[in-house]
Amino acid sequence: DARVTQTPRHKVTEMGQEVTMRCQPILGHNTVFWYRQTMMQGLELLAYFRNRAPLDDSGMPKDRFSAEMPDATLATLKIQPSEPRDSAVYFCASGFWLAGGWNEQFFGPGTRLTVL
Amino acid sequence: QKEVEQNSGPLSVPEGAIASLNCTYSDRGSQSFFWYRQYSGKSPELIMSIYSNGDKEDGRFTAQLNKASQYVSLLIRDSQPSDSATYLCAVNYNFGNEKLTFGTGTRLTIIP
């Protein structure tokens, strides 16, 4: 049963610390997405990659957030320095996109981040 | 700004009845439509996708799409307590673009 995996599942840190979240997409999927979910804002797209190339990071505060995909099996989201307002659940999702195809995305279990 | 609107609920439905969830979207050019179910504390789970006008059935779930009226709905027949969750509507606005825009979700409670 292929699944998206994320680590860590929970992270508590102090303001100003660096946070790194990792995602392993489903093998064979060529698109990877990072979302943030809060009660107030709902599910927001932060960034996404196609074939490991970043296509859109307009949803991300670029002064503190960075997203990379060093290889096909690993995507990372870093926050440096972290702030209390970054407290949220961060989801990674992956999908297989073909030109003219559709866009089903499958979500990982999420990383629940608390910044004190 | 492209928007996806859902009634936040909560929507309460007796067990065994039909639950009807609705979603409207702002861009007529929208191509693909998805329903995700999210249990409390869990990640969104894809339950239905629909791409053309009409109905699409999968077990107890039926998705309905009306592009002229810009709405998509999800019907759950024979509702079960296990259907209690938040249902997220998602729309893909560009057939060549993987981005989804999500609604804020409708919280559904099935009353035994």
Side-chain angles (χ1 to χ4, degrees), chain A residues 33-59:
Chain A
F33 306 82
W34 283 105
Y35 291 92
R36 175 172 62 186
Q37 188 174 42
T38 61
M39 288 294 292
M40 293 298 295
Q41 300 296 328
L43 203 56
E44 303 173 281
L45 178 66
L46 297 175
Y48 82 96
F49 298 78
R50 186 197 300 165
N51 295 322
R52 296 177 53 203
L55 288 193
D56 190 337
D57 61 1
S58 59

Side-chain angles (χ1 to χ4, degrees), chain B residues 13-71:
Chain B
V13 173
E15 183 175 356
I18 296 175
S20 177
L21 304 161
N22 298 312
C23 171
T24 59
Y25 57 93
S26 61
D27 192 327
R28 287 190 174 276
S30 302
Q31 299 285 349
S32 310
F33 307 86
F34 306 88
W35 283 101
Y36 285 81
R37 177 177 63 199
Q38 188 174 23
Y39 293 115
S40 180
K42 301 296 185 181
S43 58
E45 173 192 9
L46 180 66
I47 55 173
M48 289 287 286
S49 56
I50 187 166
Y51 310 103
S52 51
N53 279 327
D55 294 1
K56 179 181 177 182
E57 188 175 317
D58 184 359
R60 295 187 296 112
F61 298 96
T62 299
Q64 300 175 320
L65 175 60
N66 184 323
K67 289 188 177 181
S69 300
Q70 295 175 239
Y71 82 79

